[in-house]
Amino acid sequence: MNDFFPKSRIIVFSVFSILLVGALIFRFGKLSAVEQERIKPTAPSVERGSIVDRNGKPLAVETHFFHMGISPNKIKNPEQFARDVAPSIEMSEEEILEMIDDARKSRNPRFFYLKKKMPLATYEEVKKITDEKKYHTFVSYDRIPGRIYPENTLASQLIGYMGDDGRGLAGIEYSMQQYLSPEPKILQNGKPEQGKNVYLTIDANLQYKLELIAREALEETQGTNLMLLAAYAKTGEILAYLSLPEANLNEYTKAEIEETIDRPAITFYEPGSVFKVFSIAAAYDAGLFRQDELFLCDGVFEKVMSSGERVRLNCLSHHGYLTARGGLEQSCNDITAQITDRMDTSAFLAKLKAFGFGQRTDTKMLPSESPGLLKEQSSSQWSARSKMTISIGQEVGVTALQIMKAATVLANGGHPLRLSLISKITDNEGNIVFQNEVEKGPAVISAQTAQYILSCMQTGAEKGIGWRANLGDMTIGVKTGTAQMADTENGGYSETDFLSDALAFFPAEDPEIILYIVIQKSKGINFASRIVAPVIKDSADAIIDHLGMSRGDAASLAHSGRFSIQGKTPLKLESTLPNLTGLSKRELLPLLNRKDLNVNISGSGWVTRQSPPAGTPITEGMQIDLYLE
């Protein structure tokens, strides 16, 4: 042995072993003296809150989708696989084979998603097939947070859209992200904070009725797009928010760009003669004319400035002698320009700014809201004619929201109101964490001026060019406007493209509702009095009937004040799961608000099938699948 293991080798080996053991002991001792880093717990799961209308009707509801992943290099028989799964995932065999082939030729051939955002019913169907066929070696599924929009296109630009990462990308989904899906944290009760439910001010049922009217109007006029806003005059709460064409939120990625534009907030345009009510209001409030004062319209306003520059504005007719009221009734450019010419330019622009033009409204809930365009007198684009052309709705850019904001001044005795789109916000237990309140701003004009302008608009509906909007059984104040649109290719104004809009208040003497409609690029007749005024009438009728407002010829009778309403018993959850068949999404809200349950909804309409069945004991974290048709 000594010949095979020389003494020198044994000594070297022993020394090395001693040093190694010593090093290990030292390292172990050092590590044992250091406080061990604790494993951080997984961030608590946050359930995204719902978006509902003012009455609690679900407009955006939390759910889950599934991505179907494929490892193409592990597929032995792509043709058979394609035949097996194609019907379930609504793809052709050719599409599947092409995707597999492309993936195999790519730089990363190990994995790709064959189908994204599958609803629960599709996932269960295709998973059953892949399990039976033992495709689990190359097929996998990822469960991702998702959103169901029960009303599809309704108020789509306002509601917005949530991306695959669980963050809002547009509309209320984006601006209210911090409430809908707060950063994960544990509350004092030891439970994770959950998303809040956002109640909009819009009435979804009324919105639906107005969308039917708006679509029909857009089809009849062959316009390219339409905007409609309706609001409570005394609170500033927006009841309807339309922008057509609109996107289907459940297929948002397939939408055209035109369908995703939030026009009432983003698009600014020259409003035409609707703007005259604010110009005349500014001049009357400054005491620059009397109600009985007559002005001569000879078909054109002409003036030579001190600089020698000549200003000329044409009118659509020779109206003769008219008061300011008559000028608004007939939408006279000449008389409006004469009245505005009396006003100091700086004072005129300051009053328009006080109305809210040239700046974003204070709704604060709409991403990328435009401030519009109101030129300064010092601007290089200002000319001698600018003040007069602005007064008739040219050389000024407004948004539909700005018109509504300015309209609240007329409806509230000269005081502007903050427009609101959020009615309230509640936590997952139904406690109110935010309640909208009316915010009234400083007076812009006097109450007498506001009442005078409303009475002029009422006359315009009764015997002026806005007569097609007259309701007959309820007073209404209307001002229509027609404006040539810019020629984006050749410059100047287009000879064929027009914008038609109309602003209305009803009842006129003490407005409850403000209504504003815009139609762009209609074909054929271009006058708003013939295009938009009838739509104002139809929309106002729908609003009055929906809200149950009293009409002049409505029958009245004495009543005790007690009503007996037969309806469905509200859904209550106790120890076992009830029978949910036949319930609508709105009636499922108590279930959706339970954060201790995982509820998946497939389809729209009413519940036709549920899993687990009725009578199953309810447990924390229980998975409940509901299928609606």
Side-chain angles (χ1 to χ4, degrees), residues 237-252:
E237 293 177 297
I238 295 179
L239 279 169
Y241 191 101
L242 278 71
S243 178
L244 303 181
E246 72 279 63
N248 184 337
L249 292 176
N250 291 306
E251 299 179 353
Y252 192 81

Side-chain angles (χ1 to χ4, degrees), residues 47-52 57-66 117-122 144-154 159-164 173 180 248-252 584-586 588-589 592 599-605 624-629:
E47 191 83 5
R48 190 176 182 88
S50 298
I51 299 175
V52 300
K57 186 181 183 67
L59 302 176
V61 180
E62 176 81 352
T63 188
H64 288 93
F65 294 110
F66 298 86
K117 298 191 71 172
M118 295 186 300
L120 178 63
T122 301
I144 63 168
R147 211 67 159 150
I148 286 180
Y149 299 95
E151 302 303 323
N152 297 313
T153 61
L154 189 136
I159 295 169
Y161 178 72
M162 188 190 81
D164 289 346
E173 291 276 34
L180 292 166
N248 184 337
L249 292 176
N250 291 306
E251 299 179 353
Y252 192 81
S584 65
K585 284 186 177 177
R586 179 177 179 180
L588 292 173
L589 267 183
L592 297 174
V599 182
N600 285 314
I601 297 179
S602 297
S604 60
I624 302 174
D625 299 322
L626 302 175
Y627 303 89
L628 282 66
E629 293 181 4

Side-chain angles (χ1 to χ4, degrees), residues 206-207 209-219 221 223-231 238 240-244 263-264 267 269-275 278 398-405 407 457 468-469 471 476-483 498-506 513-522 526-543:
L206 175 60
Q207 172 102 7
K209 294 176 182 179
L210 294 177
E211 283 188 359
L212 293 179
I213 295 172
R215 288 195 192 96
E216 183 178 351
L218 201 58
E219 183 177 348
T221 61
T224 59
N225 59 73
L226 180 149
M227 291 176 268
L228 185 154
L229 296 176
I238 295 179
Y241 191 101
L242 278 71
S243 178
L244 303 181
R263 289 182 180 81
T267 304
Y269 50 88
E270 293 184 347
S273 295
V274 164
F275 204 75
F278 306 110
V398 306
T399 66
L401 280 174
Q402 287 176 344
I403 292 289
M404 291 294 284
K405 170 82 174 183
M457 293 177 70
R468 289 180 177 84
L471 298 174
I476 185 171
V478 177
K479 184 69 192 80
T480 61
T482 305
F498 290 82
L499 177 145
S500 304
D501 60 344
L503 175 65
F505 300 84
F506 52 94
I513 299 294
I514 304 171
L515 178 61
Y516 181 59
I517 301 176
V518 182
I519 297 178
Q520 294 194 41
K521 297 183 179 180
S522 61
N526 295 311
F527 294 116
S529 58
R530 300 184 66 177
I531 293 173
V532 186
V535 189
I536 286 283
K537 183 181 187 304
D538 292 342
S539 300
D541 277 330
I543 293 170

Side-chain angles (χ1 to χ4, degrees), residues 51 106 154 162 169 173 302 322 343 381 396 457 465 483 521 579 588:
I51 299 175
S106 67
L154 189 136
M162 188 190 81
L169 299 179
E173 291 276 34
E302 286 187 292
L322 293 174
M343 194 168 188
Q381 296 179 331
V396 60
M457 293 177 70
I465 62 173
K521 297 183 179 180
N579 182 6
L588 292 173

Side-chain angles (χ1 to χ4, degrees), residues 21-297:
V21 172
L24 291 173
I25 294 173
F26 175 77
R27 181 65 176 168
F28 178 77
K30 185 178 180 180
L31 289 174
S32 63
V34 177
E35 183 179 353
Q36 298 300 306
E37 183 179 355
R38 297 184 179 180
I39 299 175
K40 295 182 179 179
T42 304
S45 175
V46 176
E47 191 83 5
R48 190 176 182 88
S50 298
I51 299 175
V52 300
D53 82 336
R54 65 186 301 114
N55 301 310
K57 186 181 183 67
L59 302 176
V61 180
E62 176 81 352
T63 188
H64 288 93
F65 294 110
F66 298 86
H67 288 346
M68 183 180 184
I70 303 294
S71 300
N73 286 345
K74 295 182 180 180
I75 303 177
K76 296 179 179 179
N77 190 340
E79 292 77 13
Q80 183 61 48
F81 170 72
R83 280 195 297 272
D84 290 337
V85 303
S88 297
I89 61 177
E90 297 181 347
M91 293 177 66
S92 68
E93 296 177 26
E94 291 74 18
E95 285 180 284
I96 296 173
L97 290 173
E98 183 178 355
M99 292 179 68
I100 293 174
D101 187 54
D102 290 344
R104 285 176 168 176
K105 295 176 182 178
S106 67
R107 292 183 178 181
N108 183 21
R110 296 181 178 180
F111 180 85
F112 75 98
Y113 283 117
L114 178 63
K115 186 76 172 180
K116 287 187 174 183
K117 298 191 71 172
M118 295 186 300
L120 178 63
T122 301
Y123 160 72
E124 289 182 339
E125 182 178 342
V126 72
K127 189 175 187 302
K128 182 179 179 181
I129 294 171
T130 56
D131 286 348
E132 290 176 351
K133 299 290 184 177
K134 302 188 184 307
Y135 290 149
H136 59 273
T137 57
F138 58 85
V139 176
S140 62
Y141 300 94
D142 293 334
R143 186 172 183 260
I144 63 168
R147 211 67 159 150
I148 286 180
Y149 299 95
E151 302 303 323
N152 297 313
T153 61
L154 189 136
S156 61
Q157 295 94 343
L158 172 60
I159 295 169
Y161 178 72
M162 188 190 81
D164 289 346
D165 62 352
R167 299 192 65 83
L169 299 179
I172 296 298
E173 291 276 34
Y174 172 81
S175 62
M176 300 299 289
Q177 171 71 22
Q178 60 177 326
Y179 292 98
L180 292 166
S181 186
E183 293 297 324
K185 69 176 181 179
I186 302 297
L187 302 176
Q188 292 181 350
N189 59 11
K191 297 181 179 180
E193 181 180 15
Q194 299 299 322
K196 310 293 191 300
N197 297 317
V198 175
Y199 285 71
L200 303 181
T201 58
I202 69 168
D203 183 322
N205 291 331
L206 175 60
Q207 172 102 7
Y208 174 74
K209 294 176 182 179
L210 294 177
E211 283 188 359
L212 293 179
I213 295 172
R215 288 195 192 96
E216 183 178 351
L218 201 58
E219 183 177 348
E220 288 181 356
T221 61
Q222 299 180 56
T224 59
N225 59 73
L226 180 149
M227 291 176 268
L228 185 154
L229 296 176
Y232 276 126
K234 304 305 182 186
T235 66
E237 293 177 297
I238 295 179
L239 279 169
Y241 191 101
L242 278 71
S243 178
L244 303 181
E246 72 279 63
N248 184 337
L249 292 176
N250 291 306
E251 299 179 353
Y252 192 81
T253 56
K254 300 178 182 179
E256 301 290 337
I257 293 178
E258 287 293 309
E259 297 173 338
T260 65
I261 299 174
D262 181 5
R263 289 182 180 81
I266 295 175
T267 304
F268 65 93
Y269 50 88
E270 293 184 347
S273 295
V274 164
F275 204 75
K276 291 174 182 175
V277 298
F278 306 110
S279 302
I280 298 297
Y284 184 73
D285 201 63
L288 298 179
F289 67 89
R290 303 185 314 275
Q291 291 189 25
D292 60 352
E293 185 175 355
L294 293 174
F295 299 86
L296 174 62
C297 168

Side-chain angles (χ1 to χ4, degrees), residues 350-367:
K351 190 65 73 174
L352 294 183
K353 289 180 181 178
F355 271 113
F357 298 112
Q359 56 199 304
R360 294 178 179 86
T361 64
D362 44 12
T363 55
K364 301 177 182 178
M365 295 299 164
L366 299 170

